[in-house]
Amino acid sequence: MSLLQHNRAETRRTPRSDDRRLPPDAPTIGLLAGSGRFPILFAEAARRQGLAVACVGIQYEASDELKSLCTTFDTVGVARMGRMIRTFRRRGAKQIVMAGKVTKNVIYTPWRVVQLCPDLRTIQWWHRRSRVDNRDDSLLLSVIAEFERDGMTFASALDYCPELLVKDGILTRSAPTDAERRDIEFGWVMAKEMGRLDVGQSVAVKEKATLAIEAIEGTDRCIERAGQLCRAGGWTLVKVAKPQQDMRFDVPTIGTTTIENLRKAGARVLAVEAGRTIVIDEPEVVALADRYGIAIIAVRDGFTA
């Protein structure tokens, strides 16, 4: 029986109290955790489903809250892949999920070898892939391949908490205007092309003009830049999955911080891809957007009608 099949069976026949004690033979799932609430929500879901969660938290990224939610919690530096693999092996985790954000520009830290202190396994991995580009998919797929060399496999965290994926429709009380819908359809094409190139997932648009695109700096900085370039406000952010999106990692995600940043930058509309975007704490996100008069719409294939 696969872990996912076991999860579903356990969800039906076991109490959903987070305080229950797991049986000694509970199957173990590994969690490679970055920052944000996604790892926390995954750990809660896995625990409800009767799984022991062996968490390896990325140093300076993973939340301390995971310590009380996971069966084991170890902190490992982002450039110490050998230690990550050894830790998961010691904890009995053969299947692993990634969840949470890791600051991408850390690889361009001055004196990065000294600052990041990579272990031998990471240095060997980096040398083997020295002729490959460093786009997100290239990096993360090669990380997965390195773990697979030790018999470990990666699954999507969303297999365990699919309820985090947003459904179609207008989420907020306010809806995009006709002009804003045209901007969404325009921005969708731009964002999908940026995703195809593995540059980023978000594009800021006003009056069918591209204000800013997301790259290594992330969505929040893209939003900030769009606000600086469009002082009049009233613009639209379109955030989508890549056409080649691997749901095991880097799935587009929004939360209350996204809404706060949109308000500060003068945005009017947030459009996301239905069924392929994570909304963290959706009721709170929608309530905050309603408070600020920001419309949120989840669409498929770029069509808003």
Side-chain angles (χ1 to χ4, degrees):
M1 179 184 290
S2 71
L3 273 176
L4 185 54
Q5 289 170 328
H6 182 279
N7 296 347
R8 288 169 176 162
E10 286 298 303
T11 300
R12 288 192 296 271
R13 68 173 181 261
T14 59
R16 294 180 64 86
S17 169
D18 283 346
D19 295 328
R20 73 181 188 282
R21 295 180 64 85
L22 293 172
D25 60 346
T28 298
I29 182 77
L31 168 60
L32 185 56
S35 64
R37 281 189 45 75
F38 185 23
I40 294 168
L41 296 176
F42 165 80
E44 290 174 341
R47 188 172 173 175
R48 287 194 299 268
Q49 293 167 37
L51 293 174
V53 180
C55 180
V56 170
I58 302 298
Q59 190 175 27
Y60 308 123
E61 299 278 6
S63 170
D64 286 342
E65 190 175 345
L66 288 165
K67 294 178 181 178
S68 63
L69 294 172
C70 300
T71 308
T72 62
F73 181 89
D74 299 275
T75 301
V76 178
V78 69
R80 303 189 67 80
M81 198 182 308
R83 185 178 172 192
M84 294 177 192
I85 292 170
R86 291 193 302 272
T87 301
F88 279 128
R89 187 190 300 120
R90 186 173 71 252
R91 300 304 188 186
K94 294 183 178 180
Q95 188 173 84
I96 302 163
V97 303
M98 294 183 187
K101 181 180 178 181
V102 176
T103 306
K104 299 170 189 174
N105 58 5
V106 69
I107 63 174
Y108 301 113
T109 302
W111 300 94
R112 59 187 175 188
V113 173
V114 175
Q115 295 289 333
L116 299 177
C117 195
D119 60 16
L120 180 60
R121 185 70 178 263
T122 304
I123 293 171
Q124 292 172 333
W125 162 77
W126 188 263
H127 178 72
R128 282 196 300 272
R129 62 177 312 280
S130 59
R131 296 184 181 181
V132 182
D133 66 70
N134 290 322
R135 291 179 293 180
D136 290 350
D137 284 6
S138 300
L139 277 171
L140 292 172
L141 286 171
S142 67
V143 167
I144 287 174
E146 192 67 23
F147 277 72
E148 288 175 343
R149 288 162 63 95
D150 282 59
M152 299 175 185
T153 60
F154 277 77
S156 171
L158 294 163
D159 290 342
Y160 301 87
C161 43
E163 67 277 3
L164 297 181
L165 291 172
V166 69
K167 297 178 174 59
D168 306 64
I170 299 169
L171 278 64
T172 48
R173 289 195 295 265
S174 59
T177 65
D178 289 343
E180 289 163 346
R181 288 175 183 270
R182 289 190 291 270
D183 276 351
I184 292 170
E185 292 167 9
F186 172 84
W188 182 278
V189 175
M190 298 296 106
K192 281 293 182 182
E193 185 62 15
M194 290 298 98
R196 183 186 69 79
L197 295 170
D198 198 10
V199 174
Q201 301 167 323
S202 303
V203 174
V205 176
K206 185 169 183 178
E207 297 171 358
K208 292 188 177 182
T210 302
L211 299 174
I213 61 171
E214 174 192 359
I216 197 171
E217 81 282 20
T219 304
D220 292 339
R221 294 288 294 276
C222 173
I223 292 170
E224 180 183 357
R225 190 167 67 256
Q228 294 169 349
L229 295 170
C230 184
R231 295 293 187 182
W235 51 274
T236 293
L237 184 75
V238 181
K239 187 174 181 72
V240 302
K242 304 166 191 174
Q244 72 280 13
Q245 184 72 50
D246 189 322
M247 299 301 282
R248 293 177 296 177
F249 58 80
D250 204 26
V251 178
T253 303
I254 65 168
T256 54
T257 300
T258 311
I259 304 305
E260 291 286 4
N261 289 331
L262 288 169
R263 181 192 67 83
K264 292 176 186 176
R268 171 68 176 76
V269 177
L270 171 60
V272 296
E273 184 169 2
R276 303 186 80 194
T277 302
I278 298 167
V279 181
I280 301 294
D281 302 321
E282 185 173 325
E284 290 83 354
V285 167
V286 172
L288 192 61
D290 281 334
R291 176 182 170 189
Y292 293 146
I294 296 172
I296 305 177
I297 183 171
V299 299
R300 294 185 189 271
D301 301 321
F303 297 104
T304 62

